[in-house]
Amino acid sequence: MILLSISIFWLSVCVDPISADPHITVEAHVGSTALLPCSLSKDFSKTPHVRWRADNEFVFERNIDGTHVGPGYEGRVDVPEDKLRKGNCSLVLKDVRITDHTFYRSFIVEHVEATNTDKIQEINTVQLNVYSQSVSAQVGSTAVLPCDWRQLSIQTPHFEWRIGDEIVFERLGKESFQGKGYEGRVDVPEEELLKGNCSLVLKNVSVTDETLYSSYILMTDTKKSVLVQNIKLSVSEKSEDRKDDRSAPSVIIISIVCSVFICIAIFILMKYLRNLSNFRNSCNLRRCS
Ligand SMILES: *[C@@H]1O[C@H](CO)[C@@H](O)[C@H](O)[C@H]1NC(C)=O
Ligand SMILES: *[C@@H]1O[C@H](CO)[C@@H](O)[C@H](O)[C@H]1NC(C)=O
Ligand SMILES: *[C@@H]1O[C@H](CO)[C@@H](O)[C@H](O)[C@H]1NC(C)=O
């Protein structure tokens, strides 16, 4: 399990630099504080000018004169000045909301005296995934990722569960589609969906299923998808597997150690008894009492 997650980690580290966009993903629970990482390659004597944007909307800016905060982010965002001077331009986003689930970009703004213009350079991009609930499941079990769309008034829902852009399950009336790797394992039963229950049933959970799942309802009129729910699935190994792994070797070691001790004890006892009888014998010969 640990080995697997280490190898997955390395895999993602190795794959990332190939993609054109250096892409960082951060996951945060609704209401928590998220740290969107960012770093500048040098230290600064005076405060550098940094800017954060989300999906082309202004979020936060700090320069030598102070800070500006975008609408909807009041009291929730900061790039601490002491950190920024040391080249740490990470954005601290407090009280995370479901609407914060989007793509963020950080920029460094440099004033060019000669032309009296600003030169804006992108530093990095961060995908923030916000989830409202987490579900844990054991390997091989069936997980139900809860979802409710009753607040949306739609007659025949066209529904999707996705991991990022990848479709896990899609349903339109009786028609359904199961994504690659999920064939025969996923469903949102039609009768449940019509009742307003869009929960995803995921059978035979495996370690690689551990990720963030998003459910969307597709609007027939606007052709837009509306985010309904984000669920974080955590997968643990079967408990009996873990018990076997860990207790089996220790039981063997304990029994070996015990047998060695018992052998030594018997050996010492035997030697003692032999010495005692030798002593008695020699006493008998010498008539000492
Ligand atoms: C950058 O600053 C944030 C707080 O603003 C801190 O939590 C984080 O650990 C810092 N990162 C580094 C690499 O120092
Ligand atoms: C929603 O559906 C799932 C499975 O499709 C089921 O396990 C769950 O109990 C349902 N929830 C409600 C509130 O009916
Ligand atoms: C469950 O998934 C594993 C692979 O993850 C597979 O080997 C096994 O056959 C599956 N079991 C069932 C009952 O489908």
Side-chain angles (χ1 to χ4, degrees):
M1 171 75 182
I2 293 166
L3 255 179
L4 192 75
S5 37
I6 291 172
S7 50
I8 289 171
F9 171 75
W10 276 112
L11 204 69
S12 48
V13 165
C14 293
V15 164
D16 260 349
I18 299 167
S19 65
D21 229 342
H23 196 135
I24 304 163
T25 302
V26 171
E27 288 183 353
H29 195 282
V30 166
S32 71
T33 296
L35 185 74
L36 311 190
C38 166
S39 76
L40 297 165
S41 43
K42 54 173 185 165
D43 284 8
F44 295 84
S45 54
K46 57 176 195 167
T47 312
H49 185 171
V50 292
R51 187 177 290 164
W52 277 91
R53 300 181 70 85
D55 244 1
N56 291 324
E57 103 191 358
F58 175 73
V59 175
F60 182 83
E61 179 166 60
R62 184 185 280 284
N63 61 19
I64 196 136
D65 301 324
T67 60
H68 287 111
V69 177
Y73 295 96
E74 296 90 350
R76 298 202 297 133
V77 282
D78 196 17
V79 175
E81 189 170 12
D82 54 327
K83 299 274 169 41
L84 183 55
R85 284 207 185 184
K86 290 184 194 128
N88 179 350
C89 43
S90 308
L91 183 78
V92 181
L93 173 60
K94 282 191 248 177
D95 186 21
V96 169
R97 299 173 185 167
I98 204 88
T99 47
D100 295 336
H101 181 101
T102 188
F103 207 59
Y104 293 78
R105 287 169 197 278
S106 57
F107 301 89
I108 178 118
V109 184
E110 279 175 291
H111 190 71
V112 184
E113 295 288 350
T115 53
N116 197 26
T117 51
D118 283 342
K119 189 177 134 212
I120 302 169
Q121 249 185 308
E122 185 171 315
I123 307 165
N124 68 340
T125 59
V126 180
Q127 168 67 45
L128 176 63
N129 288 338
V130 181
Y131 57 94
S132 47
Q133 232 176 310
S134 49
V135 168
S136 12
Q138 279 185 1
V139 168
S141 71
T142 296
V144 175
L145 309 189
C147 174
D148 187 320
W149 67 275
R150 262 170 300 188
Q151 71 278 16
L152 297 161
S153 54
I154 294 148
Q155 290 304 308
T156 327
H158 184 179
F159 210 83
E160 261 178 25
W161 274 94
R162 285 192 237 150
I163 300 170
D165 293 334
E166 177 201 336
I167 292 183
V168 171
F169 182 83
E170 188 178 352
R171 176 178 289 289
L172 175 58
K174 293 218 174 326
E175 302 262 318
S176 68
F177 169 80
Q178 298 175 326
K180 194 166 165 278
Y182 293 91
E183 297 95 342
R185 295 206 293 138
V186 282
D187 197 15
V188 176
E190 193 194 353
E191 65 281 8
E192 291 294 337
L193 189 57
L194 290 175
K195 279 193 278 176
N197 179 357
C198 42
S199 305
L200 181 75
V201 181
L202 171 59
K203 283 187 222 161
N204 193 14
V205 169
S206 76
V207 178
T208 49
D209 292 336
E210 178 163 307
T211 189
L212 192 101
Y213 294 78
S214 309
S215 60
Y216 295 90
I217 207 151
L218 288 106
M219 299 298 182
T220 35
D221 46 348
T222 58
K223 302 265 181 262
K224 272 198 178 163
S225 49
V226 173
L227 178 67
V228 179
Q229 184 74 282
N230 276 337
I231 305 281
K232 163 96 180 166
L233 177 66
S234 307
V235 179
S236 58
E237 300 272 4
K238 272 190 216 140
S239 51
E240 62 254 37
D241 286 0
R242 208 182 295 150
K243 226 179 271 165
D244 285 352
D245 281 359
R246 298 207 179 145
S247 58
S250 56
V251 163
I252 292 171
I253 289 168
I254 288 170
S255 27
I256 289 173
V257 169
C258 283
S259 341
V260 167
F261 268 111
I262 290 169
C263 283
I264 292 170
I266 290 174
F267 180 75
I268 291 170
L269 192 69
M270 293 280 274
K271 206 162 179 190
Y272 173 75
L273 287 176
R274 206 177 298 141
N275 281 350
L276 200 68
S277 64
N278 280 351
F279 176 72
R280 279 205 188 128
N281 283 348
S282 58
C283 271
N284 281 347
L285 288 175
R286 285 192 223 140
R287 299 213 171 129
C288 52
S289 58

PDB file of all heavy atoms in Angstrom, residues 275-289:
ATOM      1  N   ASN A 275      25.802 -30.434  38.270  1.00  0.00           N
ATOM      2  CA  ASN A 275      26.804 -29.955  39.224  1.00  0.00           C
ATOM      3  C   ASN A 275      26.411 -30.356  40.641  1.00  0.00           C
ATOM      4  O   ASN A 275      27.254 -30.796  41.422  1.00  0.00           O
ATOM      5  CB  ASN A 275      26.919 -28.425  39.171  1.00  0.00           C
ATOM      6  CG  ASN A 275      27.743 -27.996  37.984  1.00  0.00           C
ATOM      7  OD1 ASN A 275      28.349 -28.845  37.343  1.00  0.00           O
ATOM      8  ND2 ASN A 275      27.726 -26.699  37.708  1.00  0.00           N
ATOM      9  N   LEU A 276      25.124 -30.240  40.929  1.00  0.00           N
ATOM     10  CA  LEU A 276      24.620 -30.568  42.259  1.00  0.00           C
ATOM     11  C   LEU A 276      24.870 -32.047  42.568  1.00  0.00           C
ATOM     12  O   LEU A 276      25.382 -32.401  43.627  1.00  0.00           O
ATOM     13  CB  LEU A 276      23.127 -30.243  42.309  1.00  0.00           C
ATOM     14  CG  LEU A 276      22.544 -30.076  43.704  1.00  0.00           C
ATOM     15  CD1 LEU A 276      23.121 -28.827  44.352  1.00  0.00           C
ATOM     16  CD2 LEU A 276      21.029 -29.985  43.632  1.00  0.00           C
ATOM     17  N   SER A 277      24.556 -32.922  41.600  1.00  0.00           N
ATOM     18  CA  SER A 277      24.716 -34.370  41.844  1.00  0.00           C
ATOM     19  C   SER A 277      26.211 -34.723  41.896  1.00  0.00           C
ATOM     20  O   SER A 277      26.626 -35.529  42.721  1.00  0.00           O
ATOM     21  CB  SER A 277      23.983 -35.189  40.791  1.00  0.00           C
ATOM     22  OG  SER A 277      24.543 -34.971  39.544  1.00  0.00           O
ATOM     23  N   ASN A 278      27.037 -34.039  41.064  1.00  0.00           N
ATOM     24  CA  ASN A 278      28.487 -34.253  41.121  1.00  0.00           C
ATOM     25  C   ASN A 278      29.007 -33.905  42.499  1.00  0.00           C
ATOM     26  O   ASN A 278      29.788 -34.647  43.095  1.00  0.00           O
ATOM     27  CB  ASN A 278      29.215 -33.368  40.092  1.00  0.00           C
ATOM     28  CG  ASN A 278      29.143 -33.969  38.704  1.00  0.00           C
ATOM     29  OD1 ASN A 278      28.704 -35.114  38.534  1.00  0.00           O
ATOM     30  ND2 ASN A 278      29.555 -33.178  37.717  1.00  0.00           N
ATOM     31  N   PHE A 279      28.521 -32.773  43.027  1.00  0.00           N
ATOM     32  CA  PHE A 279      28.946 -32.299  44.337  1.00  0.00           C
ATOM     33  C   PHE A 279      28.574 -33.320  45.423  1.00  0.00           C
ATOM     34  O   PHE A 279      29.384 -33.692  46.258  1.00  0.00           O
ATOM     35  CB  PHE A 279      28.293 -30.940  44.603  1.00  0.00           C
ATOM     36  CG  PHE A 279      28.585 -30.386  45.953  1.00  0.00           C
ATOM     37  CD1 PHE A 279      29.865 -29.888  46.236  1.00  0.00           C
ATOM     38  CD2 PHE A 279      27.618 -30.384  46.946  1.00  0.00           C
ATOM     39  CE1 PHE A 279      30.124 -29.378  47.477  1.00  0.00           C
ATOM     40  CE2 PHE A 279      27.913 -29.887  48.184  1.00  0.00           C
ATOM     41  CZ  PHE A 279      29.159 -29.369  48.452  1.00  0.00           C
ATOM     42  N   ARG A 280      27.316 -33.836  45.302  1.00  0.00           N
ATOM     43  CA  ARG A 280      26.856 -34.828  46.297  1.00  0.00           C
ATOM     44  C   ARG A 280      27.714 -36.078  46.240  1.00  0.00           C
ATOM     45  O   ARG A 280      28.119 -36.619  47.251  1.00  0.00           O
ATOM     46  CB  ARG A 280      25.399 -35.177  46.030  1.00  0.00           C
ATOM     47  CG  ARG A 280      24.488 -34.118  46.604  1.00  0.00           C
ATOM     48  CD  ARG A 280      23.114 -34.693  46.893  1.00  0.00           C
ATOM     49  NE  ARG A 280      22.232 -33.592  47.248  1.00  0.00           N
ATOM     50  CZ  ARG A 280      21.059 -33.366  46.677  1.00  0.00           C
ATOM     51  NH1 ARG A 280      20.625 -34.167  45.730  1.00  0.00           N
ATOM     52  NH2 ARG A 280      20.328 -32.355  47.048  1.00  0.00           N
ATOM     53  N   ASN A 281      27.984 -36.532  44.973  1.00  0.00           N
ATOM     54  CA  ASN A 281      28.789 -37.746  44.788  1.00  0.00           C
ATOM     55  C   ASN A 281      30.161 -37.581  45.439  1.00  0.00           C
ATOM     56  O   ASN A 281      30.608 -38.441  46.208  1.00  0.00           O
ATOM     57  CB  ASN A 281      28.979 -38.047  43.300  1.00  0.00           C
ATOM     58  CG  ASN A 281      27.707 -38.666  42.708  1.00  0.00           C
ATOM     59  OD1 ASN A 281      26.816 -39.062  43.462  1.00  0.00           O
ATOM     60  ND2 ASN A 281      27.649 -38.732  41.394  1.00  0.00           N
ATOM     61  N   SER A 282      30.816 -36.426  45.138  1.00  0.00           N
ATOM     62  CA  SER A 282      32.161 -36.217  45.682  1.00  0.00           C
ATOM     63  C   SER A 282      32.095 -36.119  47.206  1.00  0.00           C
ATOM     64  O   SER A 282      32.981 -36.610  47.908  1.00  0.00           O
ATOM     65  CB  SER A 282      32.821 -34.989  45.079  1.00  0.00           C
ATOM     66  OG  SER A 282      32.032 -33.866  45.306  1.00  0.00           O
ATOM     67  N   CYS A 283      31.032 -35.575  47.740  1.00  0.00           N
ATOM     68  CA  CYS A 283      30.829 -35.480  49.174  1.00  0.00           C
ATOM     69  C   CYS A 283      30.710 -36.872  49.795  1.00  0.00           C
ATOM     70  O   CYS A 283      31.319 -37.147  50.823  1.00  0.00           O
ATOM     71  CB  CYS A 283      29.577 -34.689  49.495  1.00  0.00           C
ATOM     72  SG  CYS A 283      29.925 -32.961  49.635  1.00  0.00           S
ATOM     73  N   ASN A 284      29.910 -37.731  49.095  1.00  0.00           N
ATOM     74  CA  ASN A 284      29.746 -39.095  49.589  1.00  0.00           C
ATOM     75  C   ASN A 284      31.097 -39.797  49.695  1.00  0.00           C
ATOM     76  O   ASN A 284      31.383 -40.481  50.672  1.00  0.00           O
ATOM     77  CB  ASN A 284      28.830 -39.884  48.656  1.00  0.00           C
ATOM     78  CG  ASN A 284      27.357 -39.535  48.904  1.00  0.00           C
ATOM     79  OD1 ASN A 284      27.064 -38.909  49.925  1.00  0.00           O
ATOM     80  ND2 ASN A 284      26.485 -39.931  48.002  1.00  0.00           N
ATOM     81  N   LEU A 285      31.951 -39.552  48.602  1.00  0.00           N
ATOM     82  CA  LEU A 285      33.264 -40.201  48.590  1.00  0.00           C
ATOM     83  C   LEU A 285      34.128 -39.688  49.746  1.00  0.00           C
ATOM     84  O   LEU A 285      34.806 -40.457  50.409  1.00  0.00           O
ATOM     85  CB  LEU A 285      33.967 -39.971  47.265  1.00  0.00           C
ATOM     86  CG  LEU A 285      33.385 -40.753  46.078  1.00  0.00           C
ATOM     87  CD1 LEU A 285      34.092 -40.351  44.792  1.00  0.00           C
ATOM     88  CD2 LEU A 285      33.511 -42.255  46.302  1.00  0.00           C
ATOM     89  N   ARG A 286      34.068 -38.343  49.983  1.00  0.00           N
ATOM     90  CA  ARG A 286      34.929 -37.756  51.014  1.00  0.00           C
ATOM     91  C   ARG A 286      34.276 -37.754  52.406  1.00  0.00           C
ATOM     92  O   ARG A 286      34.884 -37.291  53.357  1.00  0.00           O
ATOM     93  CB  ARG A 286      35.239 -36.282  50.641  1.00  0.00           C
ATOM     94  CG  ARG A 286      36.246 -36.181  49.520  1.00  0.00           C
ATOM     95  CD  ARG A 286      36.717 -34.727  49.408  1.00  0.00           C
ATOM     96  NE  ARG A 286      36.770 -34.341  47.987  1.00  0.00           N
ATOM     97  CZ  ARG A 286      36.391 -33.161  47.529  1.00  0.00           C
ATOM     98  NH1 ARG A 286      35.927 -32.244  48.342  1.00  0.00           N
ATOM     99  NH2 ARG A 286      36.497 -32.890  46.263  1.00  0.00           N
ATOM    100  N   ARG A 287      33.055 -38.221  52.453  1.00  0.00           N
ATOM    101  CA  ARG A 287      32.281 -38.284  53.705  1.00  0.00           C
ATOM    102  C   ARG A 287      32.067 -36.916  54.337  1.00  0.00           C
ATOM    103  O   ARG A 287      32.131 -36.752  55.542  1.00  0.00           O
ATOM    104  CB  ARG A 287      32.966 -39.200  54.733  1.00  0.00           C
ATOM    105  CG  ARG A 287      33.072 -40.576  54.189  1.00  0.00           C
ATOM    106  CD  ARG A 287      32.966 -41.575  55.253  1.00  0.00           C
ATOM    107  NE  ARG A 287      32.876 -42.859  54.608  1.00  0.00           N
ATOM    108  CZ  ARG A 287      33.642 -43.870  54.917  1.00  0.00           C
ATOM    109  NH1 ARG A 287      34.542 -43.774  55.856  1.00  0.00           N
ATOM    110  NH2 ARG A 287      33.499 -45.003  54.328  1.00  0.00           N
ATOM    111  N   CYS A 288      31.999 -35.931  53.574  1.00  0.00           N
ATOM    112  CA  CYS A 288      31.614 -34.638  54.144  1.00  0.00           C
ATOM    113  C   CYS A 288      30.098 -34.553  54.187  1.00  0.00           C
ATOM    114  O   CYS A 288      29.414 -35.179  53.382  1.00  0.00           O
ATOM    115  CB  CYS A 288      32.165 -33.476  53.316  1.00  0.00           C
ATOM    116  SG  CYS A 288      31.769 -33.620  51.591  1.00  0.00           S
ATOM    117  N   SER A 289      29.498 -33.880  55.086  1.00  0.00           N
ATOM    118  CA  SER A 289      28.047 -33.855  55.170  1.00  0.00           C
ATOM    119  C   SER A 289      27.522 -32.457  54.859  1.00  0.00           C
ATOM    120  O   SER A 289      28.168 -31.503  55.176  1.00  0.00           O
ATOM    121  CB  SER A 289      27.562 -34.299  56.538  1.00  0.00           C
ATOM    122  OG  SER A 289      28.113 -33.484  57.530  1.00  0.00           O
TER     123      SER A 289
END
